[in-house]
Amino acid sequence: MAREPNAIDFWRGFALITIFINHIPGNTFEHFTYSQYGTSDAAELFVFLAGWSIGIAVRGRSGELEPASRTILRLLSRMVEVYRAQLVITAIALATLAGAALLLDNPLLLEWHNAGPVFTDPVQATVGWVTLLHQLGYFNILPLYVGLLGLAPIFVLMARVSRLLALGASLALYFAALIFELNVPSWPNEGHWFFNPLCWQLLLLLGFLAHEWRRESPSFLIWRRRLLPLGIALVTLGAVLAWFHIRPDPLLVPEPRLLFTFDKSHLPPARLIHFIGVLLAFQAVFGWIYPRAPWLGRQLAALGRNSLAVFSVGSIASLVAQLIRFWTGGGFAIDVLVVGSGVVLLAFTAWFVEWRSRSPRSSASA
């Protein structure tokens, strides 16, 4: 039985559709996503909600904390599940690019999104993408999630001793990664992961701690409402910066430079603060929308309940959409076709996953 629509699933579904649209660069609808009106985007929302969901998952129905060993196994099991999904969608993406290169007789497509090494040096690159050290462009969010789930047991169990200790350790790692430019290396190509898990772990922990504080601290709810004007101010400031294309030049900012950029890879303070503003400003939106448009709330919540499957299908669909736009030259009609078809496909994926879970499995079909 699927759980009832709630704010977490609703916003996760919203993030999934936004990520899908933003992963088709240059399309008409990209200009209407909130990433165009601030210094953060749906990636921050996705990771924060993952942390919040961990907070829900590690407690029983009555609210008591499950044993530490079970929490570790739960998080590592989810990490393996996400890793498996990453391998599958990467293999499909590589096959899609190879097929498109053959169909369109255009070998340059084999170079798209950092896929070149897989076809020019398959021995090393295969080891690279299976170990997540080589990642395709637009297929690098799940590796981040794998890394975060690997780190999560440390901070989640530390929070059982002291939440402030866990937050302090997370902040120390975050600022160390920014100041000393620490990141996971790429291989066989030189470079680093696009999403730096040593920085993004802070946002996952903030999501987890927000769930814990909301559950146990009445003052958390009070201050969340009191800070609504601050959230609106931060969102407005982000919109102004985005509208006038005001961004610090990475070559001109002082050292340590990552503290002062808007670079998405490292989740610098500017992006983190803007995202907190988004949370504060839009905290009551689900409660306002759902009674007035329950069909929308139910559909977005269905996407959010089945986020891994929906994200995986959306990743492949966005790549296919990119190839279709490349082949046809794009245009408004093509954008309506690829984005509209993709959103329908995401909705179908969520329905199909839940239909499978509801369907009886007879011994004859096993």
mmCIF file of all heavy atoms in Angstrom, residues 115-130:
data_model
loop_
_atom_site.group_PDB
_atom_site.id
_atom_site.type_symbol
_atom_site.label_atom_id
_atom_site.label_comp_id
_atom_site.label_asym_id
_atom_site.label_seq_id
_atom_site.Cartn_x
_atom_site.Cartn_y
_atom_site.Cartn_z
ATOM 1 N N ALA A 115 32.252 10.455 -22.653
ATOM 2 C CA ALA A 115 32.181 9.031 -23.001
ATOM 3 C C ALA A 115 33.373 8.580 -23.833
ATOM 4 O O ALA A 115 33.606 7.369 -23.955
ATOM 5 C CB ALA A 115 30.888 8.737 -23.762
ATOM 6 N N GLY A 116 34.138 9.515 -24.402
ATOM 7 C CA GLY A 116 35.223 9.169 -25.306
ATOM 8 C C GLY A 116 36.170 8.095 -24.808
ATOM 9 O O GLY A 116 36.457 7.129 -25.532
ATOM 10 N N PRO A 117 36.689 8.200 -23.566
ATOM 11 C CA PRO A 117 37.641 7.188 -23.088
ATOM 12 C C PRO A 117 37.087 5.769 -23.086
ATOM 13 O O PRO A 117 37.847 4.809 -23.229
ATOM 14 C CB PRO A 117 37.958 7.664 -21.669
ATOM 15 C CG PRO A 117 37.721 9.143 -21.697
ATOM 16 C CD PRO A 117 36.560 9.322 -22.624
ATOM 17 N N VAL A 118 35.777 5.613 -22.927
ATOM 18 C CA VAL A 118 35.197 4.275 -22.906
ATOM 19 C C VAL A 118 35.368 3.598 -24.262
ATOM 20 O O VAL A 118 35.550 2.378 -24.349
ATOM 21 C CB VAL A 118 33.706 4.334 -22.509
ATOM 22 C CG1 VAL A 118 33.075 2.948 -22.541
ATOM 23 C CG2 VAL A 118 33.546 4.956 -21.136
ATOM 24 N N PHE A 119 35.333 4.397 -25.340
ATOM 25 C CA PHE A 119 35.432 3.833 -26.682
ATOM 26 C C PHE A 119 36.865 3.833 -27.209
ATOM 27 O O PHE A 119 37.213 2.999 -28.044
ATOM 28 C CB PHE A 119 34.511 4.614 -27.623
ATOM 29 C CG PHE A 119 33.068 4.558 -27.214
ATOM 30 C CD1 PHE A 119 32.440 5.673 -26.660
ATOM 31 C CD2 PHE A 119 32.325 3.397 -27.359
ATOM 32 C CE1 PHE A 119 31.110 5.626 -26.274
ATOM 33 C CE2 PHE A 119 30.993 3.340 -26.976
ATOM 34 C CZ PHE A 119 30.393 4.449 -26.422
ATOM 35 N N THR A 120 37.696 4.753 -26.724
ATOM 36 C CA THR A 120 39.078 4.807 -27.205
ATOM 37 C C THR A 120 40.028 4.002 -26.325
ATOM 38 O O THR A 120 41.065 3.529 -26.794
ATOM 39 C CB THR A 120 39.569 6.270 -27.261
ATOM 40 O OG1 THR A 120 39.472 6.851 -25.954
ATOM 41 C CG2 THR A 120 38.730 7.073 -28.243
ATOM 42 N N ASP A 121 39.702 3.851 -25.052
ATOM 43 C CA ASP A 121 40.547 3.099 -24.129
ATOM 44 C C ASP A 121 39.638 2.268 -23.218
ATOM 45 O O ASP A 121 39.525 2.520 -22.020
ATOM 46 C CB ASP A 121 41.413 4.047 -23.293
ATOM 47 C CG ASP A 121 42.432 3.317 -22.437
ATOM 48 O OD1 ASP A 121 42.557 2.087 -22.578
ATOM 49 O OD2 ASP A 121 43.089 3.971 -21.606
ATOM 50 N N PRO A 122 38.938 1.271 -23.797
ATOM 51 C CA PRO A 122 37.882 0.579 -23.047
ATOM 52 C C PRO A 122 38.365 -0.185 -21.829
ATOM 53 O O PRO A 122 37.616 -0.342 -20.872
ATOM 54 C CB PRO A 122 37.275 -0.367 -24.093
ATOM 55 C CG PRO A 122 38.337 -0.542 -25.126
ATOM 56 C CD PRO A 122 39.076 0.751 -25.168
ATOM 57 N N VAL A 123 39.614 -0.665 -21.834
ATOM 58 C CA VAL A 123 40.083 -1.465 -20.700
ATOM 59 C C VAL A 123 40.137 -0.609 -19.435
ATOM 60 O O VAL A 123 39.536 -0.935 -18.405
ATOM 61 C CB VAL A 123 41.464 -2.081 -21.006
ATOM 62 C CG1 VAL A 123 41.997 -2.799 -19.762
ATOM 63 C CG2 VAL A 123 41.369 -3.044 -22.180
ATOM 64 N N GLN A 124 40.857 0.518 -19.506
ATOM 65 C CA GLN A 124 40.967 1.379 -18.329
ATOM 66 C C GLN A 124 39.640 2.063 -18.008
ATOM 67 O O GLN A 124 39.251 2.152 -16.837
ATOM 68 C CB GLN A 124 42.056 2.433 -18.556
ATOM 69 C CG GLN A 124 43.460 1.873 -18.626
ATOM 70 C CD GLN A 124 44.498 2.969 -18.515
ATOM 71 O OE1 GLN A 124 44.792 3.484 -17.437
ATOM 72 N NE2 GLN A 124 45.064 3.330 -19.653
ATOM 73 N N ALA A 125 38.954 2.536 -19.051
ATOM 74 C CA ALA A 125 37.714 3.279 -18.801
ATOM 75 C C ALA A 125 36.627 2.394 -18.204
ATOM 76 O O ALA A 125 35.825 2.854 -17.381
ATOM 77 C CB ALA A 125 37.223 3.920 -20.089
ATOM 78 N N THR A 126 36.590 1.116 -18.591
ATOM 79 C CA THR A 126 35.587 0.216 -18.015
ATOM 80 C C THR A 126 35.827 0.041 -16.519
ATOM 81 O O THR A 126 34.893 0.075 -15.708
ATOM 82 C CB THR A 126 35.619 -1.149 -18.720
ATOM 83 O OG1 THR A 126 35.285 -0.972 -20.094
ATOM 84 C CG2 THR A 126 34.621 -2.110 -18.080
ATOM 85 N N VAL A 127 37.094 -0.135 -16.148
ATOM 86 C CA VAL A 127 37.411 -0.183 -14.720
ATOM 87 C C VAL A 127 37.001 1.127 -14.052
ATOM 88 O O VAL A 127 36.467 1.141 -12.935
ATOM 89 C CB VAL A 127 38.917 -0.449 -14.513
ATOM 90 C CG1 VAL A 127 39.271 -0.365 -13.026
ATOM 91 C CG2 VAL A 127 39.307 -1.806 -15.080
ATOM 92 N N GLY A 128 37.214 2.242 -14.765
ATOM 93 C CA GLY A 128 36.893 3.553 -14.215
ATOM 94 C C GLY A 128 35.418 3.735 -13.942
ATOM 95 O O GLY A 128 35.022 4.140 -12.840
ATOM 96 N N TRP A 129 34.554 3.413 -14.934
ATOM 97 C CA TRP A 129 33.140 3.709 -14.693
ATOM 98 C C TRP A 129 32.474 2.687 -13.775
ATOM 99 O O TRP A 129 31.507 3.000 -13.083
ATOM 100 C CB TRP A 129 32.360 3.914 -15.986
ATOM 101 C CG TRP A 129 32.130 2.745 -16.908
ATOM 102 C CD1 TRP A 129 32.853 2.421 -18.009
ATOM 103 C CD2 TRP A 129 31.053 1.791 -16.845
ATOM 104 N NE1 TRP A 129 32.326 1.301 -18.626
ATOM 105 C CE2 TRP A 129 31.210 0.910 -17.936
ATOM 106 C CE3 TRP A 129 29.987 1.590 -15.983
ATOM 107 C CZ2 TRP A 129 30.343 -0.147 -18.195
ATOM 108 C CZ3 TRP A 129 29.117 0.537 -16.233
ATOM 109 C CH2 TRP A 129 29.294 -0.318 -17.321
ATOM 110 N N VAL A 130 33.035 1.477 -13.705
ATOM 111 C CA VAL A 130 32.488 0.504 -12.766
ATOM 112 C C VAL A 130 32.860 0.873 -11.326
ATOM 113 O O VAL A 130 32.081 0.641 -10.399
ATOM 114 C CB VAL A 130 32.980 -0.917 -13.114
ATOM 115 C CG1 VAL A 130 32.649 -1.900 -12.001
ATOM 116 C CG2 VAL A 130 32.343 -1.383 -14.423
#
